Amino acid sequence: MIERLRFDTPVLRSVVRPADLVRATRTLGVLVGAGVPLLDAIQICRGLSPWRRWAAFWDAVESSVRDGRGLADRFEQTGLVPLSARAMVAAGERSGQLSKVLDRVADAADEDLETAVKRVGVLLEPLAILVLGSVIAVVAIALLLPVGLTNGLWGTLCMVWAQRTVAPADRDAASKLLRPRWTASSAAS
């Protein structure tokens, strides 16, 4: 459920996919550049993400490399890696500059991530303002409602309600309880 929401919601997807791609390609590029065998580097990259889609992706990449087809073959058959990154990985494999190309892919994905985070921030600002305004309105009502109930219109409405709903014998007692303590006649005397 969380994984589907994370990968398939348009706003989240625009942030999550580049973030995962940056982590994966940067790590793979560093490991390959340091001389770690490709299959070992792929196994290390599999442990970077807790998500099943990335685990399945790395399983497919590992089987592709074991069969001699290379990284680009599986990069092209997934929706996790953008088309431009797939083409760059294929060119890096052909030229023998895979680690440099993976670093460039990570840099490009990092730029996409920064752009996506800015977009999401712009989208969430009005929502945050609405939520904060609603909270402030509820607090203001909660503070002002008791003041209105004890004086003025609310007190009068409560007295009318009590006189209609209380038994006739208890009306005098109810009106004495609900009558405001300070009235214009008491102020004049």
Side-chain angles (χ1 to χ4, degrees):
M1 170 74 178
I2 293 174
E3 186 167 350
R4 185 180 313 145
L5 180 72
R6 185 176 195 259
F7 282 98
D8 296 336
T9 304
V11 174
L12 290 176
R13 180 180 54 214
S14 68
V15 174
V16 169
R17 285 190 180 176
D20 288 339
L21 184 63
V22 167
R23 185 181 316 122
T25 54
R26 178 111 37 224
T27 303
L28 188 60
V30 167
L31 291 171
V32 169
V36 175
L38 188 57
L39 289 174
D40 293 338
I42 290 170
Q43 288 178 353
I44 291 170
C45 288
R46 183 183 293 118
L48 292 175
S49 180
W51 307 108
R52 288 179 293 174
R53 290 187 187 188
W54 277 100
F57 168 75
W58 289 115
D59 289 340
V61 168
E62 183 178 9
S63 68
S64 175
V65 170
R66 283 189 194 278
D67 294 342
R69 291 184 300 224
L71 286 174
D73 182 51
R74 292 313 288 182
F75 271 53
E76 291 174 2
Q77 297 175 4
T78 182
L80 296 174
V81 181
L83 183 62
S84 59
R86 297 176 210 164
M88 289 174 70
V89 169
E93 277 187 318
R94 284 192 303 269
S95 67
Q97 301 290 324
L98 185 60
S99 65
K100 290 179 182 177
V101 169
L102 287 170
D103 284 337
R104 288 186 188 137
V105 168
D107 291 339
D110 200 19
E111 290 175 12
D112 291 344
L113 176 63
E114 287 178 17
T115 303
V117 167
K118 286 179 184 174
R119 272 194 219 133
V120 169
V122 167
L123 290 174
L124 290 180
E125 263 182 47
L127 181 65
I129 290 170
L130 286 175
V131 169
L132 188 59
S134 299
V135 168
I136 290 171
V138 167
V139 169
I141 289 170
L143 289 174
L144 295 176
L145 191 62
V147 173
L149 286 176
T150 57
N151 298 330
L153 178 64
W154 290 109
T156 306
L157 290 175
C158 288
M159 194 172 354
V160 169
W161 174 80
Q163 287 175 350
R164 289 187 183 179
T165 58
V166 176
D170 296 329
R171 281 189 186 159
D172 289 335
S175 64
K176 286 178 185 175
L177 288 175
L178 293 173
R179 191 172 300 140
R181 292 183 187 160
W182 185 82
T183 60
S185 61
S186 64
S189 54

